[in-house]
Amino acid sequence: MSSTSPAERGALMFALADCNNFYVSCERVFNPMLCGRPVVVLSNNDGCVIARSEESKALGIAMGTPLFRCRDVIGRHGVAVFSSNYPLYGDMSSRVMNTLGAMAPEQERYSIDEAFFDLSGFRRFGLREHAALMRRTVLKHTGIPVSIGIAHTKTLAKLAAKAAKKDPSCGGVLMLEGADRVRRALASTHLEDVWGIGRQWSLKLALQGIQTAADFAGMPPALVRRLLGVTGAKVQAELQGHRCLPLELVRPMKQTICTSRSFGRNVFSVEELQEAVASFASRAASKLRREGSTASLLTVFISTSPFAASALRREASRTVSLPRAADDAMTLVTAASRVLEAIYQGGHPYRKAGVLLGAIAPKNPPGESFLLFGDEGEGRAEALQQVMEQVNLRYGNGSIRLAAEDSRAWEPLCRHISPRYTTSWEEILRVPSAPQAPPAPAHR
C-alpha cells in the first residue's frame, strides 16, 4: 500500500461526478410531465425495481422490490413505471461522459452513471467553481442532473458525492478539504454506505462496535488487516486521506465477458434455447472484438426459475476449451450450440440462459511474430465478420446476423418501455405544432 505526504495530498484532488437517479432522469428528459411525480424503473422482464425517483423513495418503495409486491403503492400514488431502456440509458451516458470529459480530460469512467476525475490542475479556477460549472454544463447539454464530490482520495470523493446528493444546501457540489470537515463527514456516514465496505463487512464490523465511517477510520490498522485483509486496509487508508487508488485512465482488459438474459416466458424446446444461446454468443463476440481480444474458454449455462416446482427445477452448465483462441461470432456460436446440446435435458421450463467467455487475451499482443502463411479458413471468417460489422454499422445493429440468432421466441418482457428517443429514427421525439399534452404513462 502506498501513502502520500501531506504536501502530495494537497496537490491531488479527485472528483466523482454521479448522475442523480440516472435511469429516472433519462426518462424525465424526454417527458417533463414526470418531474415531481414518483417514478420507478424495472429490471429485465419487469421483475424488480432498480431505479427510483426521490418521490418514490419517500413512498417507501425499496430498491430491489419485486413489482408485484408494490403494485398497491404504485396504483394508490400514481407512480409512473418504466421497463429498462438500455439503448436510451447507454446513449445518454455517453453524452454525459463526453460533456464532462471536455471539461476535465483526466477521466475514469467507473460505471454507466459515474466517473472519477483528477481536478488537481484546475485549482487556479477554483475547484468548487469549476465543478459547479461542469454540473451546470451537463444539465444544460443533456438534461441530466449530477452531483459532484471533491476530496483528496477517490473513496472520500465518492462519500462527498453521496452527501452532495442528500444535502440540497450543497448545490450539488461538496468538497471535503480540511481535517475537521472530513471528520464531520465520516462521523455522519453509516459504515455500510462507505465505498468498498458493503453489507457483509458492515455486519462483521458491527460485532466490533464499529457503526460509522469515523469509527472505521479510527480502528487499529492491524485489526482492520486481520478482519478485512488488504482491501479493507486500503479503504481505511483512503478514509484517512492516504491515496491508495489511482485514477485508471486506461481501463484494464476484461477477464471474462458474459451475456445472459432471463426469458419472458418458459422455454421448453432445444430449438428455442439454441436461438437464445446463439444470440448471446454473437453479442459476446461483438463485445470481445470491441475489446480487441480473443477467448479460449466458453461456458454455456441454462436454468429454470428458482420458484419452479422442485421436480421441474434444473440448472446446468459446461465449459469447453476452444480449438484456437477466437473472436468471430461463427466460431463462438458453433461452439456454444454444441455445448447446449450436451447439457440440454427436455421437460424443464427454462427461464434463463447465458454464454461466458474466459481466458481472454489481446488479439495482437506486442512482440507477436507475423505469420507469412496464415490459416485460410480463419482469414475468410475474419473477412466475413468485418463485412457484417460494416453492414450493421451503416444500416443499424441487427441488419445482418447469423441465421441461428433469433430473439422472438424468448425475448424478455418490456411492457412499459419508453421510445429509444436518441438511437432510433422511427422513435425520435415528435413535437406537435399545436400545444398538446404528452401521453401519460399508464398506471401499472
PDB file of all heavy atoms in Angstrom, residues 329-365:
ATOM      1  N   ALA A 329     -17.951 -14.443 -34.453  1.00  0.00           N
ATOM      2  CA  ALA A 329     -19.243 -14.949 -33.998  1.00  0.00           C
ATOM      3  C   ALA A 329     -19.504 -16.371 -34.457  1.00  0.00           C
ATOM      4  O   ALA A 329     -20.084 -17.174 -33.718  1.00  0.00           O
ATOM      5  CB  ALA A 329     -20.345 -14.020 -34.501  1.00  0.00           C
ATOM      6  N   MET A 330     -19.084 -16.709 -35.683  1.00  0.00           N
ATOM      7  CA  MET A 330     -19.388 -18.036 -36.205  1.00  0.00           C
ATOM      8  C   MET A 330     -18.730 -19.133 -35.373  1.00  0.00           C
ATOM      9  O   MET A 330     -19.354 -20.151 -35.040  1.00  0.00           O
ATOM     10  CB  MET A 330     -18.951 -18.128 -37.672  1.00  0.00           C
ATOM     11  CG  MET A 330     -19.901 -17.379 -38.596  1.00  0.00           C
ATOM     12  SD  MET A 330     -19.211 -17.090 -40.213  1.00  0.00           S
ATOM     13  CE  MET A 330     -18.019 -15.840 -39.856  1.00  0.00           C
ATOM     14  N   THR A 331     -17.479 -18.945 -35.019  1.00  0.00           N
ATOM     15  CA  THR A 331     -16.789 -19.948 -34.199  1.00  0.00           C
ATOM     16  C   THR A 331     -17.449 -20.080 -32.832  1.00  0.00           C
ATOM     17  O   THR A 331     -17.693 -21.192 -32.341  1.00  0.00           O
ATOM     18  CB  THR A 331     -15.307 -19.554 -34.027  1.00  0.00           C
ATOM     19  OG1 THR A 331     -14.700 -19.492 -35.309  1.00  0.00           O
ATOM     20  CG2 THR A 331     -14.581 -20.560 -33.157  1.00  0.00           C
ATOM     21  N   LEU A 332     -17.763 -18.945 -32.210  1.00  0.00           N
ATOM     22  CA  LEU A 332     -18.329 -18.974 -30.860  1.00  0.00           C
ATOM     23  C   LEU A 332     -19.761 -19.512 -30.865  1.00  0.00           C
ATOM     24  O   LEU A 332     -20.144 -20.263 -29.958  1.00  0.00           O
ATOM     25  CB  LEU A 332     -18.280 -17.574 -30.248  1.00  0.00           C
ATOM     26  CG  LEU A 332     -16.871 -16.990 -30.080  1.00  0.00           C
ATOM     27  CD1 LEU A 332     -16.926 -15.572 -29.514  1.00  0.00           C
ATOM     28  CD2 LEU A 332     -16.022 -17.877 -29.172  1.00  0.00           C
ATOM     29  N   VAL A 333     -20.551 -19.155 -31.873  1.00  0.00           N
ATOM     30  CA  VAL A 333     -21.926 -19.658 -31.946  1.00  0.00           C
ATOM     31  C   VAL A 333     -21.922 -21.169 -32.160  1.00  0.00           C
ATOM     32  O   VAL A 333     -22.697 -21.905 -31.533  1.00  0.00           O
ATOM     33  CB  VAL A 333     -22.689 -18.948 -33.082  1.00  0.00           C
ATOM     34  CG1 VAL A 333     -24.004 -19.662 -33.381  1.00  0.00           C
ATOM     35  CG2 VAL A 333     -22.960 -17.492 -32.706  1.00  0.00           C
ATOM     36  N   THR A 334     -21.044 -21.641 -33.030  1.00  0.00           N
ATOM     37  CA  THR A 334     -20.961 -23.087 -33.267  1.00  0.00           C
ATOM     38  C   THR A 334     -20.586 -23.840 -31.994  1.00  0.00           C
ATOM     39  O   THR A 334     -21.207 -24.856 -31.637  1.00  0.00           O
ATOM     40  CB  THR A 334     -19.916 -23.377 -34.367  1.00  0.00           C
ATOM     41  OG1 THR A 334     -20.296 -22.683 -35.562  1.00  0.00           O
ATOM     42  CG2 THR A 334     -19.829 -24.865 -34.655  1.00  0.00           C
ATOM     43  N   ALA A 335     -19.591 -23.337 -31.281  1.00  0.00           N
ATOM     44  CA  ALA A 335     -19.166 -23.997 -30.051  1.00  0.00           C
ATOM     45  C   ALA A 335     -20.262 -23.962 -28.994  1.00  0.00           C
ATOM     46  O   ALA A 335     -20.521 -24.964 -28.307  1.00  0.00           O
ATOM     47  CB  ALA A 335     -17.897 -23.317 -29.521  1.00  0.00           C
ATOM     48  N   ALA A 336     -20.934 -22.818 -28.868  1.00  0.00           N
ATOM     49  CA  ALA A 336     -21.991 -22.683 -27.865  1.00  0.00           C
ATOM     50  C   ALA A 336     -23.151 -23.631 -28.161  1.00  0.00           C
ATOM     51  O   ALA A 336     -23.725 -24.231 -27.240  1.00  0.00           O
ATOM     52  CB  ALA A 336     -22.473 -21.236 -27.812  1.00  0.00           C
ATOM     53  N   SER A 337     -23.487 -23.783 -29.427  1.00  0.00           N
ATOM     54  CA  SER A 337     -24.588 -24.679 -29.792  1.00  0.00           C
ATOM     55  C   SER A 337     -24.267 -26.126 -29.434  1.00  0.00           C
ATOM     56  O   SER A 337     -25.130 -26.865 -28.941  1.00  0.00           O
ATOM     57  CB  SER A 337     -24.874 -24.565 -31.295  1.00  0.00           C
ATOM     58  OG  SER A 337     -25.285 -23.251 -31.614  1.00  0.00           O
ATOM     59  N   ARG A 338     -23.024 -26.524 -29.644  1.00  0.00           N
ATOM     60  CA  ARG A 338     -22.635 -27.891 -29.303  1.00  0.00           C
ATOM     61  C   ARG A 338     -22.662 -28.124 -27.791  1.00  0.00           C
ATOM     62  O   ARG A 338     -23.066 -29.184 -27.309  1.00  0.00           O
ATOM     63  CB  ARG A 338     -21.245 -28.188 -29.857  1.00  0.00           C
ATOM     64  CG  ARG A 338     -21.234 -28.326 -31.379  1.00  0.00           C
ATOM     65  CD  ARG A 338     -19.836 -28.467 -31.924  1.00  0.00           C
ATOM     66  NE  ARG A 338     -19.858 -28.609 -33.379  1.00  0.00           N
ATOM     67  CZ  ARG A 338     -18.791 -28.470 -34.154  1.00  0.00           C
ATOM     68  NH1 ARG A 338     -17.611 -28.197 -33.607  1.00  0.00           N
ATOM     69  NH2 ARG A 338     -18.892 -28.611 -35.457  1.00  0.00           N
ATOM     70  N   VAL A 339     -22.240 -27.126 -27.036  1.00  0.00           N
ATOM     71  CA  VAL A 339     -22.277 -27.257 -25.574  1.00  0.00           C
ATOM     72  C   VAL A 339     -23.717 -27.354 -25.089  1.00  0.00           C
ATOM     73  O   VAL A 339     -24.043 -28.166 -24.214  1.00  0.00           O
ATOM     74  CB  VAL A 339     -21.560 -26.074 -24.902  1.00  0.00           C
ATOM     75  CG1 VAL A 339     -21.698 -26.148 -23.381  1.00  0.00           C
ATOM     76  CG2 VAL A 339     -20.095 -26.055 -25.285  1.00  0.00           C
ATOM     77  N   LEU A 340     -24.596 -26.540 -25.676  1.00  0.00           N
ATOM     78  CA  LEU A 340     -26.004 -26.578 -25.265  1.00  0.00           C
ATOM     79  C   LEU A 340     -26.607 -27.953 -25.520  1.00  0.00           C
ATOM     80  O   LEU A 340     -27.341 -28.486 -24.678  1.00  0.00           O
ATOM     81  CB  LEU A 340     -26.794 -25.506 -26.020  1.00  0.00           C
ATOM     82  CG  LEU A 340     -28.299 -25.508 -25.737  1.00  0.00           C
ATOM     83  CD1 LEU A 340     -28.579 -25.155 -24.273  1.00  0.00           C
ATOM     84  CD2 LEU A 340     -29.033 -24.540 -26.653  1.00  0.00           C
ATOM     85  N   GLU A 341     -26.321 -28.526 -26.674  1.00  0.00           N
ATOM     86  CA  GLU A 341     -26.848 -29.862 -26.969  1.00  0.00           C
ATOM     87  C   GLU A 341     -26.404 -30.875 -25.914  1.00  0.00           C
ATOM     88  O   GLU A 341     -27.145 -31.802 -25.564  1.00  0.00           O
ATOM     89  CB  GLU A 341     -26.367 -30.312 -28.354  1.00  0.00           C
ATOM     90  CG  GLU A 341     -27.020 -29.551 -29.506  1.00  0.00           C
ATOM     91  CD  GLU A 341     -26.408 -29.927 -30.842  1.00  0.00           C
ATOM     92  OE1 GLU A 341     -25.514 -30.801 -30.862  1.00  0.00           O
ATOM     93  OE2 GLU A 341     -26.817 -29.335 -31.854  1.00  0.00           O
ATOM     94  N   ALA A 342     -25.193 -30.676 -25.383  1.00  0.00           N
ATOM     95  CA  ALA A 342     -24.669 -31.628 -24.403  1.00  0.00           C
ATOM     96  C   ALA A 342     -25.323 -31.480 -23.032  1.00  0.00           C
ATOM     97  O   ALA A 342     -25.446 -32.460 -22.285  1.00  0.00           O
ATOM     98  CB  ALA A 342     -23.149 -31.450 -24.278  1.00  0.00           C
ATOM     99  N   ILE A 343     -25.756 -30.277 -22.679  1.00  0.00           N
ATOM    100  CA  ILE A 343     -26.290 -30.075 -21.319  1.00  0.00           C
ATOM    101  C   ILE A 343     -27.811 -30.010 -21.299  1.00  0.00           C
ATOM    102  O   ILE A 343     -28.415 -30.045 -20.224  1.00  0.00           O
ATOM    103  CB  ILE A 343     -25.726 -28.778 -20.685  1.00  0.00           C
ATOM    104  CG1 ILE A 343     -26.143 -27.536 -21.476  1.00  0.00           C
ATOM    105  CG2 ILE A 343     -24.213 -28.860 -20.572  1.00  0.00           C
ATOM    106  CD1 ILE A 343     -25.711 -26.228 -20.830  1.00  0.00           C
ATOM    107  N   TYR A 344     -28.443 -29.907 -22.485  1.00  0.00           N
ATOM    108  CA  TYR A 344     -29.902 -29.767 -22.520  1.00  0.00           C
ATOM    109  C   TYR A 344     -30.582 -31.055 -22.065  1.00  0.00           C
ATOM    110  O   TYR A 344     -30.161 -32.150 -22.392  1.00  0.00           O
ATOM    111  CB  TYR A 344     -30.367 -29.415 -23.927  1.00  0.00           C
ATOM    112  CG  TYR A 344     -31.866 -29.445 -24.089  1.00  0.00           C
ATOM    113  CD1 TYR A 344     -32.656 -28.401 -23.605  1.00  0.00           C
ATOM    114  CD2 TYR A 344     -32.498 -30.522 -24.709  1.00  0.00           C
ATOM    115  CE1 TYR A 344     -34.030 -28.433 -23.738  1.00  0.00           C
ATOM    116  CE2 TYR A 344     -33.871 -30.561 -24.849  1.00  0.00           C
ATOM    117  CZ  TYR A 344     -34.641 -29.514 -24.365  1.00  0.00           C
ATOM    118  OH  TYR A 344     -36.007 -29.556 -24.492  1.00  0.00           O
ATOM    119  N   GLN A 345     -31.629 -30.893 -21.313  1.00  0.00           N
ATOM    120  CA  GLN A 345     -32.458 -32.017 -20.883  1.00  0.00           C
ATOM    121  C   GLN A 345     -33.908 -31.564 -20.997  1.00  0.00           C
ATOM    122  O   GLN A 345     -34.288 -30.542 -20.413  1.00  0.00           O
ATOM    123  CB  GLN A 345     -32.116 -32.390 -19.433  1.00  0.00           C
ATOM    124  CG  GLN A 345     -32.679 -33.721 -18.997  1.00  0.00           C
ATOM    125  CD  GLN A 345     -32.206 -34.062 -17.580  1.00  0.00           C
ATOM    126  OE1 GLN A 345     -32.841 -33.684 -16.600  1.00  0.00           O
ATOM    127  NE2 GLN A 345     -31.078 -34.733 -17.480  1.00  0.00           N
ATOM    128  N   GLY A 346     -34.713 -32.280 -21.763  1.00  0.00           N
ATOM    129  CA  GLY A 346     -36.081 -31.869 -22.034  1.00  0.00           C
ATOM    130  C   GLY A 346     -37.000 -31.984 -20.827  1.00  0.00           C
ATOM    131  O   GLY A 346     -36.662 -32.601 -19.815  1.00  0.00           O
ATOM    132  N   GLY A 347     -38.179 -31.333 -20.949  1.00  0.00           N
ATOM    133  CA  GLY A 347     -39.188 -31.448 -19.897  1.00  0.00           C
ATOM    134  C   GLY A 347     -39.078 -30.409 -18.802  1.00  0.00           C
ATOM    135  O   GLY A 347     -39.841 -30.469 -17.827  1.00  0.00           O
ATOM    136  N   HIS A 348     -38.152 -29.471 -18.936  1.00  0.00           N
ATOM    137  CA  HIS A 348     -37.983 -28.440 -17.902  1.00  0.00           C
ATOM    138  C   HIS A 348     -38.348 -27.066 -18.473  1.00  0.00           C
ATOM    139  O   HIS A 348     -38.002 -26.758 -19.617  1.00  0.00           O
ATOM    140  CB  HIS A 348     -36.537 -28.410 -17.400  1.00  0.00           C
ATOM    141  CG  HIS A 348     -36.112 -29.681 -16.741  1.00  0.00           C
ATOM    142  ND1 HIS A 348     -36.370 -29.958 -15.415  1.00  0.00           N
ATOM    143  CD2 HIS A 348     -35.473 -30.767 -17.246  1.00  0.00           C
ATOM    144  CE1 HIS A 348     -35.883 -31.148 -15.112  1.00  0.00           C
ATOM    145  NE2 HIS A 348     -35.339 -31.666 -16.205  1.00  0.00           N
ATOM    146  N   PRO A 349     -39.001 -26.225 -17.684  1.00  0.00           N
ATOM    147  CA  PRO A 349     -39.366 -24.870 -18.148  1.00  0.00           C
ATOM    148  C   PRO A 349     -38.203 -23.903 -17.932  1.00  0.00           C
ATOM    149  O   PRO A 349     -38.111 -23.240 -16.898  1.00  0.00           O
ATOM    150  CB  PRO A 349     -40.557 -24.516 -17.254  1.00  0.00           C
ATOM    151  CG  PRO A 349     -40.301 -25.263 -15.975  1.00  0.00           C
ATOM    152  CD  PRO A 349     -39.548 -26.519 -16.336  1.00  0.00           C
ATOM    153  N   TYR A 350     -37.328 -23.772 -18.908  1.00  0.00           N
ATOM    154  CA  TYR A 350     -36.133 -22.926 -18.751  1.00  0.00           C
ATOM    155  C   TYR A 350     -36.526 -21.450 -18.802  1.00  0.00           C
ATOM    156  O   TYR A 350     -37.345 -21.038 -19.623  1.00  0.00           O
ATOM    157  CB  TYR A 350     -35.111 -23.260 -19.831  1.00  0.00           C
ATOM    158  CG  TYR A 350     -34.538 -24.641 -19.685  1.00  0.00           C
ATOM    159  CD1 TYR A 350     -35.008 -25.698 -20.476  1.00  0.00           C
ATOM    160  CD2 TYR A 350     -33.557 -24.915 -18.742  1.00  0.00           C
ATOM    161  CE1 TYR A 350     -34.505 -26.977 -20.331  1.00  0.00           C
ATOM    162  CE2 TYR A 350     -33.048 -26.194 -18.593  1.00  0.00           C
ATOM    163  CZ  TYR A 350     -33.524 -27.222 -19.384  1.00  0.00           C
ATOM    164  OH  TYR A 350     -33.033 -28.499 -19.225  1.00  0.00           O
ATOM    165  N   ARG A 351     -35.910 -20.661 -17.929  1.00  0.00           N
ATOM    166  CA  ARG A 351     -36.202 -19.229 -17.867  1.00  0.00           C
ATOM    167  C   ARG A 351     -34.951 -18.367 -18.046  1.00  0.00           C
ATOM    168  O   ARG A 351     -35.044 -17.145 -18.045  1.00  0.00           O
ATOM    169  CB  ARG A 351     -36.866 -18.871 -16.520  1.00  0.00           C
ATOM    170  CG  ARG A 351     -38.253 -19.436 -16.354  1.00  0.00           C
ATOM    171  CD  ARG A 351     -39.202 -18.930 -17.424  1.00  0.00           C
ATOM    172  NE  ARG A 351     -39.425 -17.504 -17.339  1.00  0.00           N
ATOM    173  CZ  ARG A 351     -40.493 -16.951 -16.785  1.00  0.00           C
ATOM    174  NH1 ARG A 351     -41.448 -17.700 -16.291  1.00  0.00           N
ATOM    175  NH2 ARG A 351     -40.638 -15.640 -16.752  1.00  0.00           N
ATOM    176  N   LYS A 352     -33.785 -18.979 -18.142  1.00  0.00           N
ATOM    177  CA  LYS A 352     -32.579 -18.161 -18.278  1.00  0.00           C
ATOM    178  C   LYS A 352     -31.492 -18.968 -18.989  1.00  0.00           C
ATOM    179  O   LYS A 352     -31.389 -20.181 -18.823  1.00  0.00           O
ATOM    180  CB  LYS A 352     -32.074 -17.696 -16.905  1.00  0.00           C
ATOM    181  CG  LYS A 352     -30.910 -16.731 -16.964  1.00  0.00           C
ATOM    182  CD  LYS A 352     -30.545 -16.201 -15.592  1.00  0.00           C
ATOM    183  CE  LYS A 352     -29.417 -15.170 -15.694  1.00  0.00           C
ATOM    184  NZ  LYS A 352     -29.057 -14.621 -14.376  1.00  0.00           N
ATOM    185  N   ALA A 353     -30.673 -18.279 -19.765  1.00  0.00           N
ATOM    186  CA  ALA A 353     -29.515 -18.903 -20.407  1.00  0.00           C
ATOM    187  C   ALA A 353     -28.440 -17.843 -20.585  1.00  0.00           C
ATOM    188  O   ALA A 353     -28.716 -16.635 -20.520  1.00  0.00           O
ATOM    189  CB  ALA A 353     -29.895 -19.509 -21.753  1.00  0.00           C
ATOM    190  N   GLY A 354     -27.219 -18.286 -20.789  1.00  0.00           N
ATOM    191  CA  GLY A 354     -26.150 -17.320 -20.974  1.00  0.00           C
ATOM    192  C   GLY A 354     -24.890 -17.957 -21.521  1.00  0.00           C
ATOM    193  O   GLY A 354     -24.729 -19.189 -21.526  1.00  0.00           O
ATOM    194  N   VAL A 355     -24.000 -17.099 -22.000  1.00  0.00           N
ATOM    195  CA  VAL A 355     -22.698 -17.519 -22.530  1.00  0.00           C
ATOM    196  C   VAL A 355     -21.620 -16.699 -21.830  1.00  0.00           C
ATOM    197  O   VAL A 355     -21.719 -15.467 -21.746  1.00  0.00           O
ATOM    198  CB  VAL A 355     -22.620 -17.308 -24.055  1.00  0.00           C
ATOM    199  CG1 VAL A 355     -21.211 -17.578 -24.570  1.00  0.00           C
ATOM    200  CG2 VAL A 355     -23.627 -18.200 -24.761  1.00  0.00           C
ATOM    201  N   LEU A 356     -20.608 -17.389 -21.312  1.00  0.00           N
ATOM    202  CA  LEU A 356     -19.494 -16.729 -20.616  1.00  0.00           C
ATOM    203  C   LEU A 356     -18.203 -17.059 -21.357  1.00  0.00           C
ATOM    204  O   LEU A 356     -17.907 -18.237 -21.603  1.00  0.00           O
ATOM    205  CB  LEU A 356     -19.416 -17.234 -19.176  1.00  0.00           C
ATOM    206  CG  LEU A 356     -18.240 -16.731 -18.333  1.00  0.00           C
ATOM    207  CD1 LEU A 356     -18.429 -15.251 -17.989  1.00  0.00           C
ATOM    208  CD2 LEU A 356     -18.121 -17.539 -17.045  1.00  0.00           C
ATOM    209  N   LEU A 357     -17.447 -16.028 -21.715  1.00  0.00           N
ATOM    210  CA  LEU A 357     -16.154 -16.218 -22.376  1.00  0.00           C
ATOM    211  C   LEU A 357     -15.039 -15.984 -21.375  1.00  0.00           C
ATOM    212  O   LEU A 357     -15.079 -15.026 -20.596  1.00  0.00           O
ATOM    213  CB  LEU A 357     -16.004 -15.245 -23.552  1.00  0.00           C
ATOM    214  CG  LEU A 357     -17.077 -15.323 -24.644  1.00  0.00           C
ATOM    215  CD1 LEU A 357     -16.798 -14.289 -25.729  1.00  0.00           C
ATOM    216  CD2 LEU A 357     -17.134 -16.731 -25.248  1.00  0.00           C
ATOM    217  N   GLY A 358     -14.036 -16.864 -21.380  1.00  0.00           N
ATOM    218  CA  GLY A 358     -12.921 -16.741 -20.444  1.00  0.00           C
ATOM    219  C   GLY A 358     -11.587 -16.930 -21.139  1.00  0.00           C
ATOM    220  O   GLY A 358     -11.514 -17.093 -22.360  1.00  0.00           O
ATOM    221  N   ALA A 359     -10.504 -16.912 -20.335  1.00  0.00           N
ATOM    222  CA  ALA A 359      -9.136 -16.989 -20.859  1.00  0.00           C
ATOM    223  C   ALA A 359      -8.955 -15.948 -21.967  1.00  0.00           C
ATOM    224  O   ALA A 359      -8.504 -16.256 -23.078  1.00  0.00           O
ATOM    225  CB  ALA A 359      -8.826 -18.396 -21.379  1.00  0.00           C
ATOM    226  N   ILE A 360      -9.331 -14.714 -21.653  1.00  0.00           N
ATOM    227  CA  ILE A 360      -9.300 -13.622 -22.634  1.00  0.00           C
ATOM    228  C   ILE A 360      -7.884 -13.049 -22.723  1.00  0.00           C
ATOM    229  O   ILE A 360      -7.226 -12.820 -21.700  1.00  0.00           O
ATOM    230  CB  ILE A 360     -10.315 -12.547 -22.244  1.00  0.00           C
ATOM    231  CG1 ILE A 360     -11.733 -13.115 -22.397  1.00  0.00           C
ATOM    232  CG2 ILE A 360     -10.158 -11.293 -23.079  1.00  0.00           C
ATOM    233  CD1 ILE A 360     -12.821 -12.182 -21.945  1.00  0.00           C
ATOM    234  N   ALA A 361      -7.432 -12.837 -23.933  1.00  0.00           N
ATOM    235  CA  ALA A 361      -6.077 -12.304 -24.158  1.00  0.00           C
ATOM    236  C   ALA A 361      -6.123 -11.325 -25.328  1.00  0.00           C
ATOM    237  O   ALA A 361      -7.039 -11.374 -26.159  1.00  0.00           O
ATOM    238  CB  ALA A 361      -5.116 -13.450 -24.465  1.00  0.00           C
ATOM    239  N   PRO A 362      -5.137 -10.425 -25.410  1.00  0.00           N
ATOM    240  CA  PRO A 362      -5.111  -9.488 -26.549  1.00  0.00           C
ATOM    241  C   PRO A 362      -5.034 -10.245 -27.881  1.00  0.00           C
ATOM    242  O   PRO A 362      -4.346 -11.268 -27.985  1.00  0.00           O
ATOM    243  CB  PRO A 362      -3.840  -8.680 -26.301  1.00  0.00           C
ATOM    244  CG  PRO A 362      -3.554  -8.821 -24.855  1.00  0.00           C
ATOM    245  CD  PRO A 362      -4.044 -10.176 -24.458  1.00  0.00           C
ATOM    246  N   LYS A 363      -5.739  -9.734 -28.870  1.00  0.00           N
ATOM    247  CA  LYS A 363      -5.743 -10.407 -30.175  1.00  0.00           C
ATOM    248  C   LYS A 363      -4.390 -10.291 -30.862  1.00  0.00           C
ATOM    249  O   LYS A 363      -3.908 -11.241 -31.483  1.00  0.00           O
ATOM    250  CB  LYS A 363      -6.829  -9.788 -31.054  1.00  0.00           C
ATOM    251  CG  LYS A 363      -6.979 -10.482 -32.397  1.00  0.00           C
ATOM    252  CD  LYS A 363      -8.172  -9.930 -33.152  1.00  0.00           C
ATOM    253  CE  LYS A 363      -8.375 -10.696 -34.467  1.00  0.00           C
ATOM    254  NZ  LYS A 363      -9.547 -10.194 -35.202  1.00  0.00           N
ATOM    255  N   ASN A 364      -3.775  -9.138 -30.740  1.00  0.00           N
ATOM    256  CA  ASN A 364      -2.457  -8.925 -31.338  1.00  0.00           C
ATOM    257  C   ASN A 364      -1.498  -8.433 -30.262  1.00  0.00           C
ATOM    258  O   ASN A 364      -1.220  -7.225 -30.160  1.00  0.00           O
ATOM    259  CB  ASN A 364      -2.549  -7.897 -32.469  1.00  0.00           C
ATOM    260  CG  ASN A 364      -3.459  -8.360 -33.583  1.00  0.00           C
ATOM    261  OD1 ASN A 364      -3.264  -9.448 -34.137  1.00  0.00           O
ATOM    262  ND2 ASN A 364      -4.465  -7.556 -33.902  1.00  0.00           N
ATOM    263  N   PRO A 365      -1.006  -9.347 -29.399  1.00  0.00           N
ATOM    264  CA  PRO A 365      -0.115  -8.911 -28.323  1.00  0.00           C
ATOM    265  C   PRO A 365       1.197  -8.377 -28.865  1.00  0.00           C
ATOM    266  O   PRO A 365       1.660  -8.792 -29.934  1.00  0.00           O
ATOM    267  CB  PRO A 365       0.109 -10.201 -27.519  1.00  0.00           C
ATOM    268  CG  PRO A 365      -0.149 -11.300 -28.490  1.00  0.00           C
ATOM    269  CD  PRO A 365      -1.193 -10.791 -29.428  1.00  0.00           C
TER     270      PRO A 365
END
